[in-house]
Amino acid sequence: MVYFALFMVIDFIASTIAFTLERQQPGGKRDFLLLGHVWLQRFAYRQLFSLVLLKTLKRAMEGGGFAWDKLERAANVRQRS
């Protein structure tokens, strides 16, 4: 847990430096509000991605099949004028 916390602190500092260097408007507060998205991505998206990855690996090890959902082509698109 200590290494994970240290990684998160270093990652947030690096993100803050990157946002500071790449701001579109100096003094713009909107850019710094985007730092909240970094935390959301770190804690929500990565955990969800890891869960999907583990479920996929489990299915592959069990020999389960994989299939993409296929959309049926209807060929009934009309052009608007």
Side-chain angles (χ1 to χ4, degrees):
M1 290 300 289
V2 173
Y3 290 117
F4 180 72
L6 183 62
F7 169 77
M8 293 303 293
V9 168
I10 291 171
D11 185 53
F12 186 72
I13 290 170
S15 299
T16 304
I17 292 170
F19 271 84
T20 302
L21 294 174
E22 291 291 328
R23 286 191 305 183
Q24 293 178 0
Q25 299 173 0
K29 293 182 181 180
R30 182 179 176 273
D31 292 337
F32 284 108
L33 292 176
L34 293 175
L35 283 174
H37 292 238
V38 171
W39 284 98
L40 179 65
Q41 190 262 348
R42 296 296 188 254
F43 285 110
Y45 176 74
R46 281 192 178 179
Q47 307 310 323
L48 179 64
F49 181 77
S50 297
L51 177 67
V52 170
L53 177 65
L54 289 175
K55 290 177 92 174
T56 303
L57 287 174
K58 179 183 173 201
R59 182 183 289 176
M61 291 173 70
E62 291 173 348
F66 294 93
W68 290 93
D69 290 336
K70 184 176 179 182
L71 295 175
E72 294 294 326
R73 295 184 182 188
N76 60 1
V77 178
R78 295 183 184 166
Q79 183 177 4
R80 293 184 190 183
S81 43

